[in-house]
Amino acid sequence: MDSIQKILLSRTTTKPAKATFKSFLSTTNGGCEGGAGGTSSLSSSDDHGNNYSANNYGANMEESFVFYERTEDDSSEIVFHQGEIMICKVADVSRTLLYSTVRDEPLGTLYVTNFRVIFDLKNRSPVNESKSDAGRCNKLIGREDVALSNIFGVYQVSRGKKRKLLPNTYMSGIVKRLQLHCKDFQLHQFCFKKSFQDHVKVLVNAILHHFCPVYVEKLFAFSYVDRTPDSDASQFLVREYLTAEDWNFDLKRLHVDSFNFSVSHCNRGFVLSDSLPECFVLPSSLTSAELTKADLSSDNGCFPVWSYSHSNGCALIRMAYGRPESEDEMFWHVSRSHPKLNPPSVIDLGCAASSLPSLRKLQVSFEELMEICMPSTYKELVNNDSSWFAMLDQCQWLYYVSCTLSVASGVAQTIALMCKSVVIKEKDGTDFNPLISSLVQLLLDADCRKVLGFQALVEKEFVALGHKFSQRCHVVSSKDTEQGPVFLLFLDCTWQLLQQFPSSFEFTEIFLISLWDSVGLGLFRNFIFEGPKERVGIEASYKENPTVNQTFPASVWDWRRQFYPEDIAFFTNPLYSAGEQFRNLESKKSQSEPQALVPCCVVAGLRLWENCFLRWLAPIQIVGGGKPSEIVAQGLIMEDITSLQTEILQLEDNLAGKPLPPRPRCRRAEKFIFGDSSSLLRRELSKHVSSSYPFSPTQVVPCALMLPVPSPDSRSSMNEDSVSIDELTLGDSNELFVSIV
């Protein structure tokens, strides 16, 4: 049996009762060493003072949060984060290679901590390690690890059938295979045929108990002690829109007249709305007395919250539902802020006419998309190939992307071309309001297409104005939770714009995917709360009662917490700097602001976000191809152009009689730095950069999985139904890499 481990109750106000790991297993599973069933009971008290025992562990799982502390004799070489506690481990676990015919599955030990699930290989091969290191490395989580907050579903697999295990429930049966479906479209499968079943039950129940807690304070984010240095942190600071200074910055940047809009502190102490910050921008005519007089029946209050103002004076306003008379009064105040006192155009995002899906339909579409993009076996992948596009069409994900872009484009044209202010409204004002408002600003405001501007946009529209990340992204589990990947839909729409206007955005799709992956980590304060009231309240309690073992979660925008500088360099679009020079030249000629983006919104003009949804499917990777290799090639070309431009300037100075300074070894494009090994990147491009880079490393597809490669003589006779090979490369170690389309 494994070493005895202490059981601790997480973050309790009173000292928890102690017991052994052995007594816990004996009580719940009738002994763990093959002996007679144990009768000892394990009891302690939870955060609410309720008694809890191992005999009714499943029944009281919502009320407790149990950890198993590592002992001194634990010989594991795994490096744990500060504040990370090992819950349990199971030896002799094999990890299923989902797209391989090799029967010898890698064997190792499976650990569960309060942050992640770790698979530690028993015998590491130097060849495998070198291949797995290709690609980027996240400082917070290993390539084979699974963050508990990233788990979307836990499935018990038996005889080819899957049974979903719900969070905060107790599983008492035998588990031979376990699947973990992740929010980043990654699938992990583990086999426990050689493992001791009593230990397996504890491990599975630990995952069910911890991957989606009932309370947000139970997340590892509140135990994690960040070691990122504070030096140069100012370059990563993003406006959080919790103070009047941040809102005034936007008003000044957009040249908004204070006569039309101003910062209001009417929600100080969250007396009027839980989902809005304590200060935000309202029409200047709407005074505190008017707000007190108005009868706002909605829980969030139907405040006409300002989001954006165009150079023509028209504004974008977002509201929640209210009584008709209250809404009419708010619309009148919006019209008073228009340069010509024109009434606004009102768009109800919650009605059927808007063509936007409900949260339920969006969630169903997301789940069906995950089923399509996460086949369990290579056989399933091949069988679905003939009907893959039909299945994609039936899930309606691209249709919802099309509808969202269409609504946003219509709002943008109403503001910019028809010179009318627009009010968008929905039931709570926290789901599709931030979605449409953010996309409209991406279309109209060039500053939002920069990295810092985009981060501030997300912080304002989604975080500060109350998008319920904890519910929509399944961070916590409760009876009132309503899931819906609204934020992922926004990122997908942004990616579609990036494909249509590749030189208009300073960031790349790697930045967008990294942002979505950060949501699944559950470590950052931006994506774990239900609204600003919950965040401000918890942060205030931490400041009043500071503890050594608890910290308030950090912000996601300091990317140094996760990545190294060479990885962050891939966030910057190399085409943006070249496009910016052209845009500046055009704006000087026309003496006007940059034109708004007009996207193609029809489904036929959209694409599936392959590098986000399909990046973990090794058989369809394109070695030396795909969008990531384009970004690398574009960056290297921009470096050469910058170097040549520098040399031209030096030669011109020399001809003018100025002394010629020493030629730099290498000059690179601003903010796009690959390091001092650009030549090495050129040589390694075909080996390490695939269509899934830098998220999934180049993987070898066993010959048994590859479709027959036709000879040059027979290729001319292939018909349309034949299988096509998109890319075929022979590596240095005579291993065959193939991407199957």
Side-chain angles (χ1 to χ4, degrees), residues 488-560:
L488 178 61
L489 180 60
F490 164 68
L491 295 179
D492 197 338
C493 292
T494 304
W495 180 81
Q496 301 291 343
L497 296 176
L498 180 59
Q499 304 312 298
Q500 297 183 28
F501 308 97
S503 63
S504 298
F505 292 84
E506 189 185 23
F507 49 83
T508 63
E509 70 167 340
I510 297 176
F511 169 77
L512 297 176
I513 299 175
S514 300
L515 187 56
W516 173 245
D517 291 347
S518 300
V519 176
L521 285 179
L523 280 179
F524 306 106
R525 62 173 180 252
N526 316 75
F527 308 128
I528 61 176
F529 294 111
E530 188 172 351
K533 180 180 180 180
E534 183 182 40
R535 170 184 169 174
V536 171
I538 295 178
E539 186 175 12
S541 65
Y542 273 75
K543 291 181 179 179
E544 293 175 359
N545 303 302
T547 58
V548 178
N549 298 325
Q550 290 182 314
T551 58
F552 191 74
S555 174
V556 69
W557 307 123
D558 190 347
W559 294 104
R560 300 173 304 167

Side-chain angles (χ1 to χ4, degrees), residues 642-699:
T642 302
S643 178
L644 291 174
Q645 288 177 340
T646 303
E647 186 174 353
I648 290 174
L649 293 176
Q650 293 176 350
L651 292 175
E652 290 177 349
D653 293 341
N654 187 31
L655 293 176
K658 297 180 180 180
L660 184 66
R663 181 179 178 181
R665 182 177 60 176
C666 183
R667 285 292 300 272
R668 291 176 173 80
E670 183 180 4
K671 294 184 180 180
F672 198 82
I673 303 173
F674 288 109
D676 296 328
S677 56
S678 292
S679 59
L680 177 63
L681 269 175
R682 295 179 189 275
R683 295 195 302 269
E684 298 295 319
L685 183 64
S686 61
K687 291 193 295 182
H688 291 319
V689 180
S690 70
S691 57
S692 299
Y693 186 88
F695 305 100
S696 178
T698 301
Q699 301 184 36

Side-chain angles (χ1 to χ4, degrees), residues 193-318:
K193 292 182 178 180
K194 299 180 181 179
S195 305
F196 190 50
Q197 274 299 312
D198 286 340
H199 293 182
V200 175
K201 292 178 184 178
V202 174
L203 181 136
V204 174
N205 285 315
I207 295 176
L208 295 177
H209 182 43
H210 290 84
F211 87 90
C212 192
V214 179
Y215 307 106
V216 68
E217 297 96 324
K218 304 301 183 183
L219 292 173
F220 174 66
F222 294 91
S223 300
Y224 173 60
V225 180
D226 185 26
R227 298 300 184 186
T228 304
D230 294 332
S231 59
D232 300 330
S234 58
Q235 61 178 317
F236 298 98
L237 293 179
V238 176
R239 298 183 299 277
E240 295 187 332
Y241 296 92
L242 297 178
T243 62
E245 289 76 14
D246 293 341
W247 290 101
N248 284 322
F249 180 90
D250 269 11
L251 293 174
K252 184 178 180 180
R253 180 180 67 86
L254 297 171
H255 308 288
V256 179
D257 194 340
S258 59
F259 179 77
N260 296 326
F261 293 96
S262 60
V263 179
S264 173
H265 296 270
C266 62
N267 196 37
R268 192 184 302 275
F270 302 97
V271 294
L272 296 178
S273 175
D274 294 346
S275 61
L276 292 176
E278 293 184 282
C279 63
F280 46 88
V281 177
L282 291 174
S284 298
S285 60
L286 191 58
T287 62
S288 299
E290 293 284 345
L291 288 172
T292 305
K293 181 181 177 181
D295 182 16
L296 305 179
S297 59
S298 174
D299 292 337
N300 294 313
C302 56
F303 302 102
V305 181
W306 173 88
S307 288
Y308 168 76
S309 285
H310 194 262
S311 58
N312 59 15
C314 300
L316 175 63
I317 308 296
R318 44 184 290 181

Side-chain angles (χ1 to χ4, degrees), residues 95 121 124-138 141-144 564 566-567 570 681 684 687-690 692-700:
R95 180 171 61 87
L121 283 173
R124 295 184 179 273
S125 169
V127 176
N128 291 335
E129 287 187 355
S130 63
K131 289 187 178 299
S132 64
D133 290 339
R136 72 173 180 181
C137 176
N138 193 309
I141 191 165
R143 191 177 296 280
E144 300 299 331
Y564 295 96
E566 55 268 26
D567 298 321
F570 280 93
L681 269 175
E684 298 295 319
K687 291 193 295 182
H688 291 319
V689 180
S690 70
S692 299
Y693 186 88
F695 305 100
S696 178
T698 301
Q699 301 184 36
V700 180

Side-chain angles (χ1 to χ4, degrees), residues 437-723:
S437 179
S438 299
L439 291 174
V440 170
Q441 293 175 67
L442 282 177
L443 296 175
L444 297 179
D445 190 355
D447 187 70
C448 294
R449 300 171 208 149
K450 300 179 180 179
V451 174
L452 291 178
F454 184 84
Q455 294 176 164
L457 177 68
V458 171
E459 195 70 33
K460 178 181 69 174
E461 296 295 333
F462 282 91
V463 182
L465 293 179
H467 182 62
K468 301 177 181 178
F469 279 101
S470 61
Q471 291 190 28
R472 302 297 180 256
C473 297
H474 200 39
V475 178
V476 298
S477 176
S478 64
K479 296 180 180 179
D480 299 330
T481 297
E482 187 175 7
Q483 301 178 44
V486 178
F487 189 66
L488 178 61
L489 180 60
F490 164 68
L491 295 179
D492 197 338
C493 292
T494 304
W495 180 81
Q496 301 291 343
L497 296 176
L498 180 59
Q499 304 312 298
Q500 297 183 28
F501 308 97
S503 63
S504 298
F505 292 84
E506 189 185 23
F507 49 83
T508 63
E509 70 167 340
I510 297 176
F511 169 77
L512 297 176
I513 299 175
S514 300
L515 187 56
W516 173 245
D517 291 347
S518 300
V519 176
L521 285 179
L523 280 179
F524 306 106
R525 62 173 180 252
N526 316 75
F527 308 128
I528 61 176
F529 294 111
E530 188 172 351
K533 180 180 180 180
E534 183 182 40
R535 170 184 169 174
V536 171
I538 295 178
E539 186 175 12
S541 65
Y542 273 75
K543 291 181 179 179
E544 293 175 359
N545 303 302
T547 58
V548 178
N549 298 325
Q550 290 182 314
T551 58
F552 191 74
S555 174
V556 69
W557 307 123
D558 190 347
W559 294 104
R560 300 173 304 167
R561 305 180 194 279
Q562 299 188 62
F563 308 115
Y564 295 96
E566 55 268 26
D567 298 321
I568 300 176
F570 280 93
F571 289 176
T572 306
N573 182 6
L575 297 180
Y576 180 78
S577 57
E580 191 173 24
Q581 297 177 5
F582 175 77
R583 287 188 296 271
N584 292 337
L585 181 62
E586 289 295 319
S587 62
K588 290 180 180 179
K589 291 181 179 179
S590 60
Q591 296 296 326
S592 62
E593 65 177 14
Q595 294 183 351
L597 304 181
V598 182
C600 174
C601 303
V602 296
V603 178
L606 304 179
R607 296 170 52 190
L608 182 70
W609 195 0
E610 303 98 339
N611 207 19
C612 181
F613 302 147
L614 304 175
R615 51 184 153 151
W616 309 112
L617 299 182
I620 65 173
Q621 288 185 13
I622 305 174
V623 180
K627 196 65 179 179
S629 63
E630 292 180 16
I631 296 175
V632 173
Q634 291 164 358
L636 295 174
I637 292 174
M638 288 301 301
E639 290 181 354
D640 292 341
I641 292 175
T642 302
S643 178
L644 291 174
Q645 288 177 340
T646 303
E647 186 174 353
I648 290 174
L649 293 176
Q650 293 176 350
L651 292 175
E652 290 177 349
D653 293 341
N654 187 31
L655 293 176
K658 297 180 180 180
L660 184 66
R663 181 179 178 181
R665 182 177 60 176
C666 183
R667 285 292 300 272
R668 291 176 173 80
E670 183 180 4
K671 294 184 180 180
F672 198 82
I673 303 173
F674 288 109
D676 296 328
S677 56
S678 292
S679 59
L680 177 63
L681 269 175
R682 295 179 189 275
R683 295 195 302 269
E684 298 295 319
L685 183 64
S686 61
K687 291 193 295 182
H688 291 319
V689 180
S690 70
S691 57
S692 299
Y693 186 88
F695 305 100
S696 178
T698 301
Q699 301 184 36
V700 180
V701 181
C703 294
L705 293 183
M706 295 188 298
L707 299 176
V709 180
S711 62
D713 298 334
S714 62
R715 288 186 181 183
S716 58
S717 61
M718 293 178 64
N719 54 34
E720 295 181 355
D721 298 331
S722 302
V723 177

